[in-house]
Amino acid sequence: MLDHKPTQKTLVEVDGLKLYFPITAGLFRSKVGDVKAVDGVSFSIFEGETLGLVGESGCGKSTCGRALLRLYDVTAGSIRIGGVDIAKLSADALRRMRPTMQMVFQDPQASLNPRMTVAGIIGEPLDEHTTLNRAEKLARIYELMDAVGLSRDFANRYPHAFSGGQRQRIGIARALALNPKFIVCDEPIAALDVSIQAQVVNLLEELQDRLGLTYLFISHDLSMVRHIADRVAVMYLGQIVELASREALYGSPKHPYTQALLSAVPEPNPEHEANRRRIILTGDVPSPANPPEGCNFCTRCPKVMDICRKVEPVSREIEPGRFVACHLYETTTTAGATAAPEASGANSLSTNNTTTQQGV
Amino acid sequence: MPDGANSVLYVEGLKTVFKVRGGEVHAVNSVSFDLKPGELLGVVGESGSGKSVTMMSLLGLLPSPPAEVREGRVIFDGRDLLQCSPAELRAVRGLGVGFIFQDPMTSLNPVFTVGFQIMEPLRRHLGMNKEAARKRAQELLELVNIPDAAQRLGDYPHQFSGGMRQRVMIAIALACDPKVLIADEPTTALDVTIQAQILELIRELRQKLGMAIVWITHDLGVIAGIADRVIVMYGGQIVEQAPVGELFARPRHPYTRALLQTVPSVLGERAPKLKVIEGQPPMLTATPTACPFRPRCAQAFDRCARENPARRAVGRGHDVACFWDFDSNGPVAAAESAANA
Ligand SMILES: Nc1ncnc2c1ncn2[C@@H]1O[C@H](COP(=O)(O)OP(=O)(O)OP(=O)(O)O)[C@@H](O)[C@H]1O
Ligand SMILES: Nc1ncnc2c1ncn2[C@@H]1O[C@H](COP(=O)(O)OP(=O)(O)O)[C@@H](O)[C@H]1O
Ligand code: SF4
Ligand code: SF4
Ligand SMILES: [Mg+2]
Ligand SMILES: [Mg+2]
């Protein structure tokens, strides 16, 4: 998938990425199948932008983010960061690349070593990847603490003495230590209280502006992604079903799953909620070990057609910069399918609906 | 302010304290509210604001020690639950009040079939025989839209998805036809499309069964969609109460107002920068003698440091615990709002 805008430079370019986890059984742990956690995704991230990655639990967001940093060995595909395909890099070459790409985790509690001081935690990557002396290192640690809004007085305290929001600041400071270009933020605010989430999101935005960072922002919070992301990719069962600019995606979602997902987000507005027509999906997400034939969404899609159960839709650019993987938008297929985009082409969520179904 | 008449549940001056090493945690302070027949009362507040402890205190569900319900009255069915014996409380929990917890996996027992877990309260509290209980259990699973209900009775919890387990929890809570259903963050652990299914189910069940519901959540969107009336908790206290439309249209507590401004939304205009509530929620180490929101409040003034504001009426069914008056944009007259006892 090529979503270049001529004015923008691509930093991360993912092509046909697959990440399967083997399922083993029996005494000799022989392989009996695969969990297709990420099953052929392609996208680019421009320098200095935030790409949002959304989707339901288990759809493969974290696996995708971790694969991008080669925290897993990939099953297939390429991941170019600054032109280098890190999917095929040797361990040594990868180690030299590490400083440029970092990760911020969901659970600030679990991701910080409880036996290390704040200074130790933030300084750890400096020990591993730099030759700074003690004084230089401490100066850098203080600089990082200032950058994320942590008082220098806290340098010798342990993580348990901090609130969730402060722990997340420690995690961000550590991620920044080596001046990375690219940061994967995996649900960085999910464990935080509503009133603290905005503090951390604003910090991430300020740092991006100041340091020119590029983010992959993984989240299941569609409202927050609308706030922080420039473009958004929607994942379902290991695949990207739609990718578009923030305005296009939230203004007029095209893929039936994106439409259902957005219509399910409760709005903090009672009047709107009372008059809203929702798309209630039936059933649950199928297992990634055994995805359905044809379109992955065909078991729950309100607009499913015969072809969907046989042929897997491919992602195509239906408007400049907007990619959708759905038979409804394939102009070359049957007549029924070509008519459908107009039927579903509602411009806002409040008017957009077809069937309201009761959940199973 | 709550009024006792015409309520299915009436709570007055509830105070719950935990004894911990090195002191006390005053988790719930002078909490008063009531629940009208058939209404859905939403309770919002961030983590640690005392939502769960309040509801668990009502039914004696907290381990003591460390918990101690120090003050208050909880009137249900003409008696004070805080004065009831453990056996009487068990009967109330079985028959009068249904409870749904946040995590369906920890509240369902993994070693018993789902059918057994639904039938157990029917046999114990209603004295049904096995046949009748099985029939009722099947009806209950059908009520919560589980397909092939008769077959699924023999399945174990791990054979159900997260959304289905939450439906089973709802079925169990509804088993003995309770007058009141208390749901503590029942959809927080669920995905948004599954949450939409559960919310739809609750709307449907309210129409069919008409019980009163207390729905605890930190999600203002969920509240906007299902609640009739809302209580906002902060630092172990109720800081605002209002009908749902009024709360969103005319919030009167600085915390409620800030909260409504800080959450982004998928519709409407997108603010270039999120509004932030600076600071942290308070540590509740003693009975508050000042307003608990004071360190984070843009309106705070000298009186807020000297007294803990009592709730005062600001509209029909609308009250707020704050010394600031947003209509005149100034402090309320000192006489109008006496200190919280
Ligand atoms: N067993 C306990 N021992 C000591 N303190 C406790 C205990 N249980 C709760 N608390 C304290 O009581 C206060 C209120 O807790 P509660 O669980 O009611 O909050 P909540 O609003 O429901 O939070 P959450 O949204 O995280 O569930 C908190 O300060 C909490 O730390
Ligand atoms: N180490 C692993 N071994 C086997 N399966 C895994 C492993 N990690 C993740 N999975 C599976 O991969 C799928 C996607 O997981 P994940 O990337 O964690 O999703 P998300 O972050 O969207 O919740 C899930 O079905 C999950 O169970
Ligand atoms: S390809 Fe078919 S099943 Fe898949 S999303 Fe499109 S219409 Fe629905
Ligand atoms: S009482 Fe004072 S500090 Fe408390 S919320 Fe009102 S204005 Fe703010
Ligand atoms: Mg994840
Ligand atoms: Mg709770």
Side-chain angles (χ1 to χ4, degrees):
Chain A
M1 188 188 294
L2 291 168
D3 45 0
H4 289 280
K5 281 186 206 160
T7 52
Q8 278 169 302
K9 207 170 139 212
T10 301
L11 179 69
V12 179
E13 199 171 357
V14 178
D15 191 25
L17 179 67
K18 289 188 184 176
L19 205 134
Y20 293 180
F21 295 105
I23 309 170
T24 55
L27 195 56
F28 300 105
R29 306 246 126 245
S30 56
K31 192 177 144 194
V32 294
D34 283 309
V35 177
K36 298 174 179 169
V38 176
D39 199 12
V41 307
S42 305
F43 59 88
S44 313
I45 311 179
F46 303 126
E47 214 158 78
E49 84 163 343
T50 300
L51 178 71
L53 183 59
V54 300
E56 289 174 278
S57 161
C59 74
K61 306 180 297 295
S62 302
T63 306
C64 183
R66 302 178 128 254
L68 247 56
L69 300 186
R70 260 292 290 280
L71 299 178
Y72 294 132
D73 277 332
V74 309
T75 308
S78 67
I79 303 158
R80 265 174 235 289
I81 298 187
V84 182
D85 185 359
I86 64 156
K88 299 181 182 68
L89 234 44
S90 70
D92 219 35
L94 192 62
R95 211 186 95 81
R96 285 194 296 276
M97 282 280 290
R98 281 265 169 251
T100 59
M101 39 191 211
Q102 292 292 323
M103 187 142 178
V104 173
F105 296 93
Q106 164 167 359
D107 187 352
Q109 170 87 54
S111 59
L112 303 178
N113 185 339
R115 274 182 287 275
M116 282 169 81
T117 63
V118 170
I121 290 168
I122 299 174
E124 197 181 24
L126 298 173
D127 292 334
E128 270 173 45
H129 289 277
T130 69
T131 54
L132 298 183
N133 66 31
R134 265 180 79 117
E136 288 166 338
K137 214 176 78 186
L138 193 63
R140 177 70 182 143
I141 290 167
Y142 281 152
E143 191 180 43
L144 289 161
M145 291 181 74
D146 293 346
V148 298
L150 282 172
S151 161
R152 293 182 179 198
D153 299 341
F154 295 158
N156 294 315
R157 294 203 194 167
Y158 291 87
H160 69 84
F162 291 92
S163 69
Q166 286 173 323
R167 287 195 200 109
Q168 200 53 287
R169 288 174 197 270
I170 299 171
I172 293 169
R174 180 179 55 184
L176 291 175
L178 299 169
N179 285 317
K181 282 203 177 85
F182 175 50
I183 300 183
V184 173
C185 306
D186 189 2
E187 306 263 11
I189 55 166
L192 305 178
D193 263 320
V194 183
S195 78
I196 309 297
Q197 288 184 350
Q199 296 178 1
V200 171
V201 164
N202 280 3
L203 172 64
L204 286 170
E205 287 185 327
E206 278 160 32
L207 292 169
Q208 179 168 50
D209 288 346
R210 194 138 58 83
L211 307 173
L213 299 169
T214 305
Y215 293 142
L216 178 70
F217 190 88
I218 298 175
S219 179
H220 64 268
D221 182 339
L222 286 126
S223 316
M224 200 55 95
V225 167
R226 178 179 181 232
H227 177 78
I228 196 170
D230 301 299
R231 292 184 309 136
V232 181
V234 181
M235 239 179 133
Y236 186 81
L237 206 57
Q239 300 179 340
I240 291 179
V241 297
E242 182 161 3
L243 190 157
S245 72
R246 169 185 70 221
E247 289 79 14
L249 192 102
Y250 286 87
S252 85
K254 294 294 187 214
H255 194 282
Y257 178 63
T258 317
Q259 292 173 353
L261 198 60
L262 286 176
S263 99
V265 180
E267 272 293 295
N269 179 339
E271 240 170 272
H272 181 194
E273 282 292 296
N275 302 319
R276 182 162 187 196
R277 290 169 64 210
R278 298 175 181 81
I279 307 167
I280 308 282
L281 291 179
T282 52
D284 294 299
V285 184
S287 158
N290 189 17
E293 202 172 309
C295 173
N296 271 356
F297 189 49
C298 73
T299 56
R300 298 171 85 198
C301 180
K303 295 177 182 168
V304 61
M305 304 169 291
D306 284 341
I307 184 178
C308 309
R309 298 200 178 84
K310 295 178 204 118
V311 182
E312 188 175 333
V314 295
S315 180
R316 55 184 73 219
E317 190 167 12
I318 63 163
E319 299 162 5
R322 176 190 286 243
F323 298 81
V324 181
C326 169
H327 289 304
L328 290 171
Y329 300 93
E330 279 168 15
T331 43
T332 49
T333 49
T334 59
T338 30
E342 279 81 72
S344 66
N347 271 326
S348 80
L349 280 170
S350 40
T351 55
N352 148 29
N353 201 342
T354 47
T355 46
T356 300
Q357 301 181 9
Q358 185 49 55
V360 172
Chain B
M1 306 280 134
D3 77 82
N6 191 26
S7 304
V8 275
L9 181 68
Y10 173 71
V11 178
E12 191 183 67
L14 188 72
K15 179 167 180 59
T16 304
V17 173
F18 291 95
K19 289 235 156 71
V20 292
R21 256 199 307 164
E24 294 181 336
V25 177
H26 288 240
V28 173
N29 278 298
S30 304
V31 162
S32 305
F33 67 94
D34 71 336
L35 185 66
K36 304 268 188 320
E39 81 167 337
L40 195 149
L41 176 68
V43 181
V44 274
E46 52 200 286
S47 169
S49 61
K51 308 178 296 293
S52 305
V53 172
T54 297
M55 298 309 153
M56 312 261 276
S57 301
L58 305 184
L59 295 172
L61 287 170
L62 293 168
S64 177
E68 187 193 326
V69 180
R70 277 203 191 150
E71 288 164 24
R73 294 197 301 149
V74 177
I75 309 300
F76 177 77
D77 243 357
R79 56 193 166 150
D80 185 352
L81 298 185
L82 297 184
Q83 307 301 326
C84 285
S85 70
E88 286 172 315
L89 274 181
R90 268 197 300 278
V92 170
R93 290 201 294 264
L95 279 167
V97 181
F99 218 116
I100 306 170
F101 296 94
Q102 177 161 352
D103 181 357
M105 206 53 198
T106 55
S107 20
L108 285 172
N109 191 326
V111 304
F112 293 115
T113 64
V114 158
F116 177 86
Q117 296 186 59
I118 305 176
M119 285 155 65
E120 202 266 345
L122 294 168
R123 302 193 63 188
R124 182 149 59 113
H125 295 292
L126 299 179
M128 283 188 183
N129 65 30
K130 212 169 169 187
E131 226 30 58
R134 173 171 294 276
K135 192 157 164 285
R136 175 81 179 131
Q138 183 183 332
E139 282 169 14
L140 284 161
L141 278 193
E142 280 162 2
L143 185 70
V144 296
N145 299 325
I146 299 226
D148 306 320
Q151 283 78 15
R152 304 299 313 244
L153 286 176
D155 286 351
Y156 290 87
H158 72 88
Q159 291 168 286
F160 287 70
S161 71
M164 285 166 102
R165 284 198 287 267
Q166 201 53 286
R167 281 163 205 274
V168 171
M169 285 307 299
I170 294 173
I172 294 173
L174 295 177
C176 300
D177 239 335
K179 278 193 195 153
V180 172
L181 179 68
I182 298 177
D184 189 356
E185 308 242 11
T187 59
T188 300
L190 303 176
D191 273 317
V192 39
T193 65
I194 308 299
Q195 166 171 282
Q197 292 175 0
I198 299 285
L199 295 179
E200 201 64 24
L201 172 68
I202 288 293
R203 288 188 188 98
E204 191 189 310
L205 291 177
R206 283 185 72 192
Q207 293 215 316
K208 271 192 208 159
L209 309 176
M211 70 278 190
I213 302 176
V214 178
W215 192 280
I216 301 173
T217 178
H218 63 266
D219 188 330
L220 289 164
V222 170
I223 286 288
I226 60 164
D228 301 312
R229 212 152 55 84
V230 188
I231 284 172
V232 181
M233 288 192 75
Y234 187 84
Q237 310 188 38
I238 293 178
V239 295
E240 187 158 11
Q241 162 180 250
V244 68
E246 169 91 356
L247 187 90
F248 283 83
R250 247 184 103 246
R252 279 297 170 266
H253 195 280
Y255 173 65
T256 317
R257 295 166 78 97
L259 207 55
L260 284 170
Q261 284 174 359
T262 195
V263 291
S265 122
V266 292
L267 296 171
E269 227 171 287
R270 176 186 163 279
K273 200 162 171 69
L274 289 177
K275 284 245 166 57
V276 165
I277 308 178
E278 298 291 354
Q280 319 266 337
M283 309 280 273
L284 310 166
T285 51
T287 301
T289 55
C291 174
F293 190 56
R294 179 177 43 102
R296 308 174 77 183
C297 180
Q299 275 72 36
F301 59 104
D302 50 356
R303 187 179 179 190
C304 313
R306 292 194 310 265
E307 291 171 57
N308 185 15
R311 288 159 68 184
R312 61 185 173 89
V314 289
R316 232 185 127 81
H318 189 173
D319 61 69
V320 61
C322 173
F323 293 131
W324 190 260
D325 175 12
F326 282 98
D327 293 322
S328 67
N329 239 334
V332 295
E336 211 188 304
S337 176
N340 219 342

